[in-house]
Amino acid sequence: MGNADAIIVDHTHWFVGDTHFGHAGIIDMAMRPYAGIRAHDQDLISRWNSLVRPTDTVWHLGDFAGEDVLFDDAAAIFKRLHGTKRLIRGNHDGDEVCTKLGWASVDDMRTVIATDGTKVVLCHYPLREWHGFYSGNVHFHGHTHDRLPSSRRTWDCGVDHQSFMPMTFADIRTKMEQLPELTFAGVRMELD
């Protein structure tokens, strides 16, 4: 990615993932505290819109809706959500969700730059190592539904880890600074 392609993320950029809108099975699978999928979806929409302004940007780190959700239902929710929305494709994001909802961009992986110069590697899946790993770049992901611990270098942007709401880079970074370093106990990592 050249500097001309770089997207700078500031206080108007939000990160979230694994919303699984309309996916009734996610309530039991991820042990979400909702009586049903309608209450789930309404609460996530309300929390999102209480933080995100219409002119803000939201980076969705995958699994916007469930695979079995009708496209029209997913589209109706998408339209209710504030902000310019960018998708990092997840395993539940089918072709219609990726191509017809009106995302500003759809990527499998993307690197953005925070205003403090930190490069953030975005991918739906958690990575053990990423571009710039040895240079201080950090990694935001989803997919794990708060089953893998975050660290000073990695952050789970899924709603299960973020109190069911989007967060800014600054808020995430503050929380990351309170966490231990990323380690792979017993794994020897050598540079060539």
Side-chain angles (χ1 to χ4, degrees):
M1 176 178 74
N3 286 340
D5 299 329
I7 293 181
I8 305 298
V9 296
D10 60 17
H11 67 282
T12 67
H13 287 247
W14 301 83
F15 299 88
V16 70
D18 299 308
T19 49
H20 286 264
F21 287 114
H23 179 195
I26 198 65
I27 294 170
D28 288 334
M29 193 277 291
M31 297 181 289
R32 294 189 178 173
Y34 299 97
I37 195 62
R38 293 181 82 170
H40 167 274
D41 290 354
Q42 185 54 50
D43 187 53
L44 266 62
I45 292 166
S46 294
R47 289 175 189 244
W48 177 311
N49 288 342
S50 73
L51 298 168
V52 177
R53 294 175 300 178
T55 56
D56 290 350
T57 297
V58 179
W59 294 88
H60 195 293
L61 274 71
D63 293 355
F64 177 76
E67 290 173 292
D68 59 346
V69 176
L70 296 175
F71 175 76
D72 289 345
D73 293 342
I77 289 171
F78 186 88
K79 288 177 185 172
R80 291 179 60 195
L81 296 168
H82 292 173
T84 298
K85 296 169 280 293
R86 296 177 174 273
L87 179 66
I88 304 298
R89 183 192 293 250
N91 55 302
H92 291 280
D93 296 316
D95 289 338
E96 276 192 314
V97 164
C98 292
T99 62
K100 295 182 179 177
L101 282 184
W103 300 100
S105 62
V106 177
D107 299 285
D108 290 323
M109 186 179 290
R110 181 127 187 197
T111 301
V112 297
I113 303 172
T115 55
D116 70 358
T118 302
K119 291 184 180 176
V120 184
V121 177
L122 307 175
C123 182
H124 176 65
Y125 303 100
L127 305 172
R128 293 188 93 178
E129 188 175 305
W130 49 89
H131 180 73
F133 178 86
Y134 294 101
S135 302
N137 293 1
V138 298
H139 169 48
F140 291 178
H141 67 87
H143 188 66
T144 62
H145 298 279
D146 201 25
R147 291 190 178 120
L148 289 179
S150 290
S151 73
R152 286 183 187 238
R153 302 285 305 282
T154 63
W155 183 262
D156 178 357
C157 288
V159 295
D160 303 290
H161 186 63
Q162 295 190 165
S163 301
F164 303 98
M165 64 184 77
M167 292 177 67
T168 64
F169 173 81
D171 290 338
I172 292 170
R173 191 58 178 225
T174 298
K175 289 188 176 286
M176 290 174 80
E177 289 169 356
Q178 300 168 17
L179 298 172
E181 289 289 340
L182 174 67
T183 62
F184 302 112
V187 175
R188 184 176 170 171
M189 298 177 71
E190 296 181 19
L191 295 174
D192 291 335

